[in-house]
Amino acid sequence: MSFHAHLPVRFRRWILYAFAFSSVSLAGGLVYGWPALRQQLKRDGSVLSEKQLGAAFTAGAWSTQGCRFLTGIARDRFGTKIVTVLAFGATAMGALGMALVDPNQGPAISIALAVMGLGSGVQLCLQPVASLFPSNAGAVLASLSGAFQVSGLVFLGLTSAGASRKATFGGFCAVMLGMALLAALLLPTGTSYLLESKSANPATSANSETDPTFVSTSEPQLPTVVEDTESDPASPQGKNTGVVNRIQSNPSTKCNTTADVEDTSSALNQLDNKPIEEDVSVWELMWSTEYILLVCWFSVLVVPLQYYIGGLGFQLEDKGDDDGFYTDLFSILYASAAVVSPAAGFLADKLGLGWAELLSSLLCSVSFFVLAGDANLDVQVIGLAANGLGRMLVFSMFFSHVGKRFGYKSFGTLAGLGLLISAIASLLQYPIIAAASDGHARLVNLICGVVLVTFTPPYCVWLHRTIQREESLPKDIEDVDDCQGDSANGLAVTSSRHLNKRATAIGDDSDGSASSQSQ
């Protein structure tokens, strides 16, 4: 049994959550602190052009964005512990390379950033810790998304320490090796963070009462079919599979007689062996109109957002930021957006995904219009804050959308594929950075702002109306009277589609890992 199972029962999940938050804050999105590192390289005597520096950032940003998909696959195959340790190891290697690299060696800087970007896989490995908080999974996932932005402060901290780049990044390399050691001690070997017991004994009931993460597997429990109106919408138990339900909706699956569930034994067998939407494959979800449009929306936003970070430093210098104060301020504002990250899920629930995604798009566009203007640096702070907040909302809404609308059975695959596609699209950031460095920054910023306010609203309105139409349809729970209760076995027989939905929730809850993969 892994060492993590021997943590104090009362504090186990909090220890793992604290480790997850700290890990993502240190290694999740280091590359997005690029403006501060760029300044350090300049102080170290770099004479690389902005195009060459932009190419280095592009390499690191692509690694951070795209390799999380591969990390998720590796985690599913080899387990949480080994992949997390390897991700920390990659971050340590990248940090060591950055400590030793010549500031005028563009390719070497690119390789160091790309290797360091592999540390973003820590986020995907540790997000399943949300399964230990079934009633607050949404808040946990949102906080880890915020931690990802906090990691943008690491480069600022290292470059502001007053020591040489060799000393600061070398010390950070040692910290990452220490985190790898902690990961080897604390994290589970497999993919689930839930504890399991294969034998029935008095300790089972005791543990289940003191530790909500304890799952007894000694004998199956009869599920209770209830209407889940109070569940956390970001939790596997919440009613969050709108697209799945729409695909499942088929008159032939309606329950008309008690023959659908003959007895308790057959019902338990159905829940044990087919816990997830067996009739909705991940391929059907990938090719659904909503998923395709979601990935398009996300990719359209990611390209200019990546360019903004890569090209911000020299644009602020052109506006008079000679001492780098406002460049450093951006890193602080970028990380500060993490404070409101838990509110992102609340925003999606109150406004709806459509309006929430529209708000995030408009916030991002504001930052480009401000940067394109001739306003003084104090006014530019508005754009810096809007970009940090908008970026946080974009990523939070993307992950929330996948979970709420497509369910958690294939969450890792769907979220990871979206990240990979957006990473491929984000390669466009390099020619955009090059164009801005050649004196066309104003035009580039205006185009980015116009694209965001032109192409994203139609999708957001369509999404809002689609969800509204679905919510106006009769709920499956209202069809429960179409079936009869099996009083002999004590099992309430509902419509087959509703039973399948509850089986999905139970299956996702017991699996733990499938419901939380992702940032």
Side-chain angles (χ1 to χ4, degrees):
M1 183 176 291
S2 177
F3 179 78
H4 88 288
H6 298 285
L7 293 172
V9 171
R10 184 180 298 274
F11 305 108
R12 175 179 172 272
R13 62 176 180 166
W14 292 106
I15 292 173
L16 290 174
Y17 171 72
F19 177 74
F21 189 89
S22 302
S23 299
V24 178
S25 297
L26 288 172
L30 292 171
V31 175
Y32 297 124
W34 166 253
L37 179 58
R38 172 189 167 277
Q39 281 188 311
Q40 178 67 60
L41 293 173
K42 289 287 188 180
R43 289 195 296 266
D44 290 343
S46 175
V47 294
L48 296 176
S49 68
E50 294 301 338
K51 290 182 181 180
Q52 292 172 307
L53 292 171
F57 169 72
T58 299
W62 193 94
S63 174
T64 299
Q65 187 81 348
C67 290
R68 278 183 281 180
F69 177 61
L70 302 178
T71 303
I73 295 176
R75 174 191 170 274
D76 291 343
R77 175 64 178 84
F78 301 108
T80 299
K81 177 183 294 186
I82 186 172
V83 177
T84 305
V85 170
L86 290 175
F88 275 125
T91 307
M93 290 178 59
L96 181 62
M98 190 57 65
L100 302 176
V101 71
D102 186 307
N104 289 305
Q105 292 295 321
I109 295 174
S110 299
I111 294 173
L113 284 175
V115 174
M116 200 180 303
L118 295 175
S120 64
V122 168
Q123 185 185 26
L124 268 184
C125 291
L126 296 177
Q127 275 187 320
V129 77
S131 63
L132 302 181
F133 301 84
S135 299
N136 299 286
V140 171
L141 287 171
S143 68
L144 293 179
S145 295
F148 186 86
Q149 298 221 171
V150 171
S151 63
L153 277 176
V154 172
F155 282 174
L156 177 60
L158 295 176
T159 57
S160 303
S164 67
R165 176 163 48 87
K166 183 176 181 179
T168 55
F169 279 84
F172 183 67
C173 172
V175 171
M176 290 296 96
L177 292 177
M179 294 298 290
L181 178 60
L182 285 176
L185 293 175
L186 295 177
L187 297 182
T189 303
T191 59
S192 177
Y193 283 77
L194 301 176
L195 293 179
E196 294 186 358
S197 174
K198 295 186 178 180
S199 60
N201 53 63
T204 298
S205 58
N207 283 334
S208 63
E209 291 176 1
T210 58
D211 184 9
T213 70
F214 188 91
V215 178
S216 174
T217 59
S218 57
E219 62 180 87
Q221 298 296 317
L222 183 66
T224 302
V225 179
V226 294
E227 181 178 8
D228 48 345
T229 57
E230 301 297 329
S231 300
D232 180 355
S235 166
Q237 290 84 1
K239 48 183 181 179
N240 52 12
T241 54
V243 177
V244 171
N245 291 341
R246 185 167 67 244
I247 295 176
Q248 285 181 326
S249 297
N250 189 321
S252 63
T253 65
K254 195 78 171 179
C255 174
N256 295 316
T257 69
T258 58
D260 290 313
V261 182
E262 295 180 354
D263 53 35
T264 304
S265 177
S266 63
L268 284 173
N269 184 65
Q270 178 184 2
L271 295 180
D272 289 339
N273 298 327
K274 303 175 182 179
I276 301 175
E277 301 97 328
E278 61 178 355
D279 55 337
V280 181
S281 70
V282 65
W283 296 106
E284 291 179 275
L285 297 177
M286 283 181 184
W287 289 105
S288 65
T289 300
E290 184 169 329
Y291 180 75
I292 293 174
L293 291 178
L294 171 64
V295 173
C296 289
W297 169 80
F298 185 58
S299 299
V300 166
L301 281 161
V302 164
V303 174
L305 286 175
Q306 301 288 64
Y307 148 73
Y308 188 90
I309 294 178
L312 180 66
F314 66 81
Q315 293 189 59
L316 289 181
E317 289 174 359
D318 291 342
K319 294 179 182 294
D321 186 29
D322 298 327
D323 60 357
F325 172 81
Y326 289 92
T327 301
D328 293 343
L329 181 61
F330 168 73
S331 297
I332 296 173
L333 293 173
Y334 174 87
S336 298
V339 176
V340 298
S341 61
F346 178 80
L347 186 68
D349 293 336
K350 291 301 181 182
L351 295 181
L353 284 170
W355 295 140
E357 290 176 15
L358 177 61
L359 175 62
S360 62
S361 303
L362 295 180
L363 275 173
C364 293
S365 68
V366 167
S367 65
F368 290 101
F369 287 127
V370 173
L371 190 60
D374 297 324
N376 60 42
L377 288 171
D378 290 336
V379 177
Q380 292 296 328
V381 174
I382 298 175
L384 302 181
N387 186 271
L389 182 58
R391 184 186 182 94
M392 185 276 297
L393 286 175
V394 166
F395 279 82
S396 295
M397 289 304 102
F398 172 71
F399 291 121
S400 295
H401 191 142
V402 174
K404 289 167 69 68
R405 298 287 295 163
F406 299 95
Y408 287 89
K409 173 188 175 182
S410 304
F411 180 86
T413 301
L414 295 174
L417 179 62
L419 289 170
L420 180 62
I421 293 174
S422 66
I424 295 173
S426 71
L427 292 175
L428 292 172
Q429 73 190 23
Y430 175 69
I432 298 176
I433 293 173
S437 67
D438 285 339
H440 305 292
R442 179 184 177 87
L443 177 61
V444 168
N445 291 325
L446 286 174
I447 292 175
C448 288
V450 170
V451 167
L452 295 188
V453 299
T454 302
F455 290 96
T456 59
Y459 155 74
C460 296
V461 172
W462 172 86
L463 175 63
H464 179 74
R465 295 184 62 181
T466 298
I467 296 176
Q468 270 193 327
R469 283 197 300 268
E470 292 179 2
E471 291 177 345
S472 66
L473 297 176
K475 302 297 186 296
D476 284 345
I477 193 65
E478 296 172 358
D479 298 329
V480 73
D481 291 335
D482 292 343
C483 303
Q484 302 297 323
D486 189 338
S487 58
N489 293 315
L491 177 68
V493 180
T494 66
S495 69
S496 60
R497 184 150 61 99
H498 185 67
L499 180 59
N500 190 45
K501 288 170 63 181
R502 299 307 306 146
T504 299
I506 296 169
D508 281 345
D509 186 54
S510 64
D511 180 64
S513 63
S515 66
S516 307
Q517 289 188 18
S518 112
Q519 301 180 358

